[in-house]
Amino acid sequence: MRQKIVAGNWKMNLLKEDAVSLASEVVNIAKDETPSDVKVIMCTPFIHLSKVKSLVGDAANVFVGAQNCYTEPKGAYTGEISAQQLASYGIDYVILGHSERREYFGESNATLATKTDAVIANGMLPIFCIGEVLEEREAGTQKEVVEKQLSEGLFHLSAEDFGKVVLAYEPVWAIGTGKTASSAQAQEMHKDIRDMVAAKYGQEVADATSILYGGSAKPSNAQELFAQPDVDGGLIGGASLVARDFIEISKSY
């Protein structure tokens, strides 16, 4: 059985008091309402990680993730945070390769492969993002784009280490463009991605890989999305900043 996951990406949002309030509310509601077989993950800015981790405490189904890390374990890299440092705070997950980091910071598949190695080596789990932009979707090359991202970013891993990876498909072409990705389009890409994993690692590994949908899921469409056979949860943006909306999404299985 694949793990069901709802991961909230807070991005660069919330001041200290608001972060504490949101995290506390998510933890309290999740304990009572989120199904026990669903993992709830809060991926916060670096400055909030320690406090949010302490607020999560011993909650059985709530976890904490970072939104990025650096490739090197330590050194003269002003402004960067290493996977080793994140692990020392007990962080559970790290988002890698988000479309915004690929676009704004020029992160390459090769760089992300190194970051993935660092995250796994330090006992954390990567949430690895893949997906195509509008021009690629309109050209019909979305499968080739995603296959290249997987091949260059992840397929160097052993089957054992790949089993620690959570995938997140972002239909970048449908985020903030006014265009909409249907649940059928999400399922089609998730199925293609699972087939790519199966071709590399075998069907058993592919069937055990959680693939999250990262295309603006919200309470009103989460149930339809999560009903698709190859959609195992969501990487949630804006809706993760509202505790009630975020938890309602986690209850949509």
Side-chain angles (χ1 to χ4, degrees):
M1 181 71 69
R2 292 191 292 271
Q3 179 65 59
K4 300 171 183 175
I5 297 171
V6 174
N9 179 12
W10 291 11
K11 305 191 180 184
M12 196 178 71
N13 289 299
L14 303 181
L15 302 182
K16 180 181 178 181
E17 295 79 7
D18 296 326
V20 169
S21 176
L22 175 59
S24 299
E25 193 173 358
V26 167
V27 171
N28 290 332
I29 301 175
K31 284 180 178 179
D32 294 333
E33 299 185 21
T34 297
S36 60
D37 62 340
V38 177
K39 281 189 175 181
V40 171
I41 308 169
M42 291 182 283
C43 298
T44 84
F46 290 131
I47 55 172
H48 299 322
L49 285 170
S50 179
K51 182 61 178 177
V52 172
K53 181 68 178 176
S54 70
L55 291 170
V56 168
D58 60 356
N61 61 336
V62 185
F63 301 85
V64 180
Q67 299 172 16
N68 182 39
C69 71
Y70 193 52
T71 53
E72 300 299 321
K74 62 181 179 178
Y77 305 103
T78 300
E80 295 296 332
I81 304 289
S82 73
Q84 192 174 46
Q85 289 173 315
L86 293 174
S88 74
Y89 281 88
I91 303 308
D92 307 296
Y93 290 84
V94 182
I95 297 174
L96 296 176
H98 191 278
S99 58
E100 291 160 2
R101 294 210 55 89
R102 291 178 185 267
E103 178 182 0
Y104 303 147
F105 302 100
E107 291 195 344
S108 68
N109 294 326
T111 296
L112 294 170
T114 304
K115 289 187 176 187
T116 299
D117 292 343
V119 168
I120 292 174
N122 283 280
M124 297 176 293
L125 305 177
I127 300 174
F128 194 93
C129 300
I130 52 180
E132 78 281 7
V133 299
L134 181 60
E135 294 78 11
E136 293 161 340
R137 166 62 66 159
E138 291 181 337
T141 60
Q142 60 269 21
K143 287 181 64 174
E144 290 82 357
V145 168
V146 167
E147 190 163 22
K148 184 175 185 212
Q149 292 168 340
L150 287 170
S151 177
E152 296 181 358
L154 291 178
F155 282 177
H156 66 288
L157 296 173
S158 66
E160 180 182 359
D161 280 345
F162 186 86
K164 300 169 185 174
V165 176
V166 175
L167 297 177
Y169 168 64
E170 296 183 274
V172 187
W173 56 275
I175 302 174
T177 63
K179 297 181 180 292
T180 303
S182 67
S183 58
Q185 286 173 312
Q187 166 58 23
E188 179 182 19
M189 279 303 295
H190 280 232
K191 176 64 165 60
D192 288 339
I193 292 165
R194 200 173 304 284
D195 288 345
M196 294 172 198
V197 174
K200 172 65 178 178
Y201 293 106
Q203 196 63 50
E204 184 177 354
V205 172
D207 287 342
T209 300
S210 293
I211 307 176
L212 313 184
Y213 177 72
S216 301
K218 45 190 179 290
S220 61
N221 66 3
Q223 189 168 1
E224 180 181 355
L225 284 165
F226 295 173
Q228 304 305 309
D230 288 291
V231 177
D232 304 308
L235 179 60
I236 314 301
S240 71
L241 300 176
V242 180
R244 174 46 63 188
D245 286 353
F246 188 46
I247 297 303
E248 286 303 317
I249 292 172
S250 78
K251 295 160 58 180
S252 295
Y253 290 96

